[in-house]
Amino acid sequence: MRRRAWLTRKDHPVPVRSTRLHAIRRSPRRFAKLRRLGLVGLAGLVALPLLADSPVRAVDDASGQVITLGAAANLGAAPGRPVTGMARTASGKGYWLASSDGGVYAFGDAGFLGATTAPRQPIVDIAATPTGRGYWLVSADGGVFAYGDAPFAGSLGDLHMNAALVGVAATPTGKGYWLAAEDGGVFAFGDAPFLGSAGGSAINAPIVGISATPSGRGYRLLARDGGVFAFGDASFVGSPVGQHSGPFVDIATSADGNGYWLAATDGSVNAFGSALAPSTQLVGASGAPVTAVEATPAGDGVWMATGGDAIGDFSVSCYALQGTTATGALVGRDVVAVDPRAVPLGSEIFVGGLGVKRALDTGGAIKGRRLDIWNPSVSFCREFGMRRLTAYAVR
């Protein structure tokens, strides 16, 4: 890859040819000078990548944590667990966290009622009965596991699925539930009525969550790009498509059913309709990807749970060179240079504290667990230096 870039120092642009370390090494004096200035990253790209122009702290394993916004109280967490779902009690004084391996973690007035071990496919979501004395776990292959006073009303576990399941929502009676698949399919069991689906439709992004209205006569599907699909008495009151890059991961409905909150992987929350925007917002990206969201009964706060499957710890540096990447895409804040043997080109990863990055670039010095992220500011990259951060797979 050949391109001409500009390295800025003391407001004087200095032209530098080539973008990779082996090319810069052809001029030992230049290379040594750039290294002293901290302007050569691991990929050999001029300067050292970030998503936001603010420092971030290294994290060990931030999955299983609970982020609270507004009036939501932090009642406990499950550090290190790959949390995929969250459900609160009717009082709002407790919640459950469900992990992909079948674990359930109860906090506050939420009681532990059982868990599954070694499910055939990962657990993707949890829904609670209105009494708070039962819950369902749902796996990606359509399996349903009922505990406490949650009745088993059927599952898809023995059927061939066109797409993996991503979410579950319970009826207000606690005698039925809906399952949602990533292709937009909706499957109703018990007293849950089938009110429509996006299955067979040309949706722009996979479905990631489902949330029912309090009446039990409607539900909404959330797509990864922020698209919202409403059925029954669930109204469409807006979406962030085209305004927020996402990806979005979960949806929670307001108490009156006329609004909803959408949570993105980086911990940002979008409120629509009667849903109140949280009085506080997460500054910067979370340490691990957000995977679930729940709102307080009064709607004055939200909980978000972090999870994701950790790929491992990486040494992360930063570069500020303009131009195109090894895949032909333009550099951008969402670009990261990787070793394709460790992170496949074209894939998305979540870097702790930085957010979602796309593996679109490579580098001669990027070997193994090394990442080189992009930021337009040379001074920022210099300050960023080298950090040890955890990376997670993004579904």
Side-chain angles (χ1 to χ4, degrees), residues 125 163-170 177-188 193-213 218-241 248-253 257 259-263 272 293 395:
D125 203 6
L165 288 189
V166 294
V168 58
Y177 44 82
W178 297 272
L179 305 180
E182 64 180 3
D183 64 354
V186 175
F187 308 88
F194 176 77
L195 302 166
S197 77
S201 302
I203 55 178
N204 295 324
I207 298 301
V208 295
I210 183 173
S211 183
T213 58
Y219 47 77
R220 299 179 180 92
L221 300 178
L222 172 66
R224 192 175 188 267
D225 62 356
V228 176
F229 304 87
F231 303 91
D233 68 359
S235 57
F236 173 81
V237 291
S239 83
V241 173
F248 288 86
V249 293
D250 202 10
I251 179 174
T253 298
Y260 42 83
W261 294 267
L262 309 181
F272 296 92
V293 65
R395 71 173 184 176

Side-chain angles (χ1 to χ4, degrees), residues 67-70 267-271 276-284 302 304:
I67 300 169
T68 59
L69 302 179
S268 58
V269 177
N270 287 255
L276 301 174
S279 58
T280 57
Q281 285 281 355
L282 184 66
V283 178
V302 299
M304 291 182 289

Side-chain angles (χ1 to χ4, degrees), residues 14-274:
V14 180
V16 179
R17 294 188 181 277
S18 182
T19 64
R20 296 298 169 203
L21 193 60
H22 66 82
I24 298 176
R25 282 190 186 276
R26 294 173 183 172
S27 174
R29 289 185 178 180
R30 173 179 291 176
F31 176 76
K33 183 177 182 180
L34 293 177
R35 289 296 291 172
R36 287 197 303 270
L37 292 173
L39 298 177
V40 176
L42 282 176
L45 299 182
V46 178
L48 295 171
L50 197 67
L51 199 65
D53 294 326
S54 59
V56 298
R57 58 184 177 82
V59 294
D60 294 321
D61 190 344
S63 60
Q65 299 294 335
V66 173
I67 300 169
T68 59
L69 302 179
N74 194 320
L75 304 171
R81 306 311 303 159
V83 171
T84 55
M86 185 179 197
R88 67 163 174 83
T89 60
S91 68
K93 297 180 180 179
Y95 50 73
W96 296 270
L97 302 178
S99 61
S100 61
D101 57 6
V104 174
Y105 308 88
F107 304 94
D109 65 358
F112 176 76
L113 303 166
T116 184
T117 58
R120 291 186 303 179
Q121 292 290 320
I123 297 299
V124 296
D125 203 6
I126 181 174
T129 60
T131 65
R133 296 192 296 272
Y135 49 76
W136 298 270
L137 299 178
V138 176
S139 60
D141 62 356
V144 175
F145 307 87
Y147 301 92
D149 67 359
F152 176 79
S155 76
L156 302 167
D158 294 327
L159 302 178
H160 172 72
M161 299 292 296
N162 294 325
L165 288 189
V166 294
V168 58
T171 62
T173 64
K175 297 179 180 180
Y177 44 82
W178 297 272
L179 305 180
E182 64 180 3
D183 64 354
V186 175
F187 308 88
F189 298 90
D191 66 354
F194 176 77
L195 302 166
S197 77
S201 302
I203 55 178
N204 295 324
I207 298 301
V208 295
I210 183 173
S211 183
T213 58
S215 69
R217 297 190 297 272
Y219 47 77
R220 299 179 180 92
L221 300 178
L222 172 66
R224 192 175 188 267
D225 62 356
V228 176
F229 304 87
F231 303 91
D233 68 359
S235 57
F236 173 81
V237 291
S239 83
V241 173
Q243 304 172 21
H244 189 291
S245 60
F248 288 86
V249 293
D250 202 10
I251 179 174
T253 298
S254 59
D256 63 4
N258 296 320
Y260 42 83
W261 294 267
L262 309 181
T265 304
D266 62 3
S268 58
V269 177
N270 287 255
F272 296 92
S274 62

